Amino acid sequence: MIHSLFLINTSGDLFLEKHWKSVISRSVCDYFFEAREKAVEPDNVPPVIPTPHHYLITIYREKIFFVSVIQTEVPPLFVIEFLHRVAETFQDYFGECSETTIKDNVVIVYELLEEMLDNGFPLATESNILKELIRPPTILRSMVNTITGSSNVGETLPTGQLSSIPWRRAGVKYTNNEAYFDVVEEIDAILDKSGTTVFAEIQGVIDACVKLSGMPDLTLSFMNPRLLDDVSFHPCVRYKRWESERVISFIPPDGNFQLMSYHISAQNLVAIPIYVKQNISFFETGSSGRLDITVGPKQTMGKTVECLVVTIHMPKVVLSANLNATQGTYNYDPVTKILLWDIGKLNPQKLPNLKGSLSLLSGAPKPEENPSLNIDLKIQQLAISGLKVNRLDMYGEKYKPFKGVKYVTKAGKFQVRT
């Protein structure tokens, strides 16, 4: 399936490569670099890039491009899912998935990639199995390995590999038994100049951190499960039970994992948490323009909007910006032409406003279209879709675990047209 994998940073440096079947020349990445140049943002690079003899399938995670090389036709989503699993494994092992940590742990990275793919086909992708095969790095273990010349590779086969529950290792014991769930929702939305919703959808995930002894059997139920119609589950979930009763029944993996992801596309179910009043105009004469933006809360269910940032990609003729912000700070980069307004926490009593003048290149024609605004935000303790966890029940074990649920709403691709 996958012949080779290349890791490339945002500067275009290829800092790691791994080949499974045969060595493929780095020159195949030239097609990727061409596509990268055409895309304005790293996120806009096409996930599938055809070349005369190969297909390149890519993802962009943590400022790194994972570029896989395929020689035969395979389902692209299968490869994309695997690449995301690789990035998540690095994050699980090293605390973060960055160029620095990958270079610092390059031996373990190659050992992981060797176990995760066998002759180009996925083999062991579950975190629990991998951690028994290749022990995660610690300072003490690194020192011992350096002195003795030993490696992090385990000496015995993982117990879960041979059982009917490969995602959970046997004989798990904890002093404190706890199960925590994070419901994280991202809003993708496009609003027009008048504030009307052109497009809106929610991408949601439920991340779990389960540290329970023995072999617990959990059941998670929701107050309003009918909201969820487009769902994807971890392999541990019993799908038949979900179809018939709309409850999630599962024997959990040990540690951190993504229990499920869901997608809500019905616009009547997507609440827009903020409104934006904006006026950006460029004058025919005088090489100048005006900018006036106000942001306010809309459907936040009484919760506070935090980490609010407005980003505007200005036309190339805009040289500088002389603005005044009533809240937060702004910065205009004359090279990249990006205006960044970092508002922080939204105060409903005193709405943040940014206004002032823009200086344009002398003699240049007026920009044909106004720039759009990209919004980034976070709302704690709120799932914007209205999804709520009802209860978590445990069977098969006699102890009482600590249980907790946290809700977070973020902005995905949230755009306001001017």
Side-chain angles (χ1 to χ4, degrees):
M1 191 186 80
I2 296 176
H3 274 250
S4 302
L5 176 66
F6 297 99
L7 301 193
I8 301 168
N9 63 20
T10 46
S11 307
D13 301 325
L14 198 159
F15 64 91
L16 187 131
E17 59 184 286
K18 172 78 176 114
H19 307 279
W20 282 275
K21 293 195 172 184
S22 56
V23 177
I24 291 174
S25 169
R26 287 184 171 200
S27 60
V28 76
C29 293
D30 292 346
Y31 296 98
F32 165 77
F33 292 129
E34 282 177 28
R36 171 71 184 90
E37 277 180 31
K38 288 177 187 172
V40 181
E41 294 290 321
D43 292 332
N44 295 338
V45 175
V48 181
I49 303 166
T51 75
H53 303 292
H54 309 92
Y55 293 99
L56 303 183
I57 298 182
T58 72
I59 66 164
Y60 180 66
R61 287 278 295 259
E62 314 293 335
K63 298 183 179 177
I64 298 172
F65 291 100
F66 291 73
V67 182
S68 61
V69 182
I70 316 294
Q71 281 192 326
T72 53
E73 281 204 23
V74 295
L77 286 176
F78 188 45
V79 182
I80 287 168
E81 178 62 32
F82 174 77
L83 293 178
H84 280 293
R85 189 66 67 91
V86 170
E88 281 154 15
T89 301
F90 291 166
Q91 189 146 3
D92 192 24
Y93 262 71
F94 313 129
E96 62 173 353
C97 176
S98 67
E99 183 182 351
T100 311
T101 51
I102 289 171
K103 284 179 175 176
D104 289 346
N105 299 281
V106 70
V107 174
I108 296 175
V109 166
Y110 276 110
E111 287 171 349
L112 284 170
L113 291 174
E114 200 62 55
E115 293 296 340
M116 292 182 82
L117 274 189
D118 181 33
N119 198 34
F121 289 89
L123 178 64
T125 57
E126 282 296 332
S127 176
N128 286 296
I129 290 174
L130 286 169
K131 281 180 179 172
E132 285 191 65
L133 285 167
I134 298 150
R135 291 183 287 272
T138 61
I139 295 170
L140 181 62
R141 194 172 286 149
S142 301
M143 287 171 64
V144 171
N145 289 352
T146 307
I147 295 164
T148 61
S150 56
S151 74
N152 282 24
V153 179
E155 293 176 2
T156 55
L157 267 176
T159 50
Q161 188 88 330
L162 307 172
S163 76
S164 59
I165 309 168
W167 53 83
R168 187 171 180 86
R169 60 194 174 92
V172 182
K173 284 185 181 177
Y174 286 103
T175 310
N176 295 323
N177 293 286
E178 50 195 22
Y180 299 117
F181 296 88
D182 289 354
V183 180
V184 183
E185 294 190 341
E186 282 194 358
I187 313 172
D188 294 337
I190 297 174
L191 309 181
D192 66 11
K193 192 170 183 178
S194 62
T196 309
T197 305
V198 177
F199 161 84
E201 65 179 18
I202 293 170
Q203 311 283 352
V205 297
I206 297 180
D207 290 322
C209 176
V210 177
K211 295 181 179 178
L212 299 174
S213 306
M215 197 65 73
D217 199 325
L218 303 181
T219 303
L220 186 74
S221 59
F222 301 98
M223 287 185 181
N224 40 8
R226 299 293 163 196
L227 285 171
L228 306 171
D229 59 344
D230 184 0
V231 292
S232 171
F233 293 110
H234 187 279
C236 68
V237 175
R238 300 179 180 102
Y239 190 63
K240 289 268 191 224
R241 184 96 187 265
W242 168 259
E243 280 191 314
S244 59
E245 300 174 44
R246 279 294 191 263
V247 297
I248 300 176
S249 172
F250 60 104
I251 294 173
D254 181 41
N256 298 304
F257 65 99
Q258 189 182 100
L259 178 64
M260 66 176 285
S261 61
Y262 56 92
H263 173 226
I264 298 171
S265 55
Q267 291 202 10
N268 59 328
L269 295 174
V270 182
I272 304 298
I274 61 166
Y275 68 85
V276 181
K277 289 180 179 175
Q278 38 69 30
N279 182 23
I280 301 174
S281 54
F282 300 105
F283 307 130
E284 293 284 355
T285 56
S287 299
S288 63
R290 294 286 301 168
L291 179 141
D292 190 347
I293 302 169
T294 304
V295 185
K298 193 176 179 184
Q299 294 167 291
T300 61
M301 288 72 163
K303 306 293 182 184
T304 306
V305 179
E306 301 172 352
C307 306
L308 185 57
V309 179
V310 179
T311 308
I312 308 170
H313 288 266
M314 287 291 184
K316 290 182 180 179
V317 294
V318 178
L319 293 177
S320 63
N322 182 21
L323 306 170
N324 180 40
T326 59
Q327 185 184 333
T329 57
Y330 82 90
N331 178 52
Y332 179 66
D333 189 333
V335 179
T336 58
K337 308 294 182 187
I338 294 175
L339 174 64
L340 192 81
W341 181 22
D342 189 346
I343 299 167
K345 201 175 276 191
L346 186 59
N347 183 0
Q349 274 74 44
K350 189 183 177 187
L351 299 180
N353 174 262
L354 179 72
K355 70 176 176 181
S357 60
L358 305 170
S359 299
L360 310 185
L361 187 66
S362 181
K366 174 187 161 187
E368 290 180 8
E369 54 186 37
N370 282 356
S372 56
L373 282 63
N374 294 312
I375 311 290
D376 199 13
L377 57 85
K378 185 186 281 187
I379 307 171
Q380 300 282 2
Q381 291 307 319
L382 172 69
I384 203 79
S385 65
L387 183 71
K388 276 196 169 64
V389 172
N390 182 24
R391 58 184 294 167
L392 176 72
D393 297 311
M394 186 180 77
Y395 306 96
E397 299 291 339
K398 292 181 179 175
Y399 56 83
K400 282 193 174 180
F402 296 107
K403 297 178 277 190
V405 180
K406 189 172 77 176
Y407 301 91
V408 181
T409 296
K410 299 175 181 176
K413 292 185 177 177
F414 195 110
Q415 192 179 82
V416 181
R417 292 172 177 168
T418 55

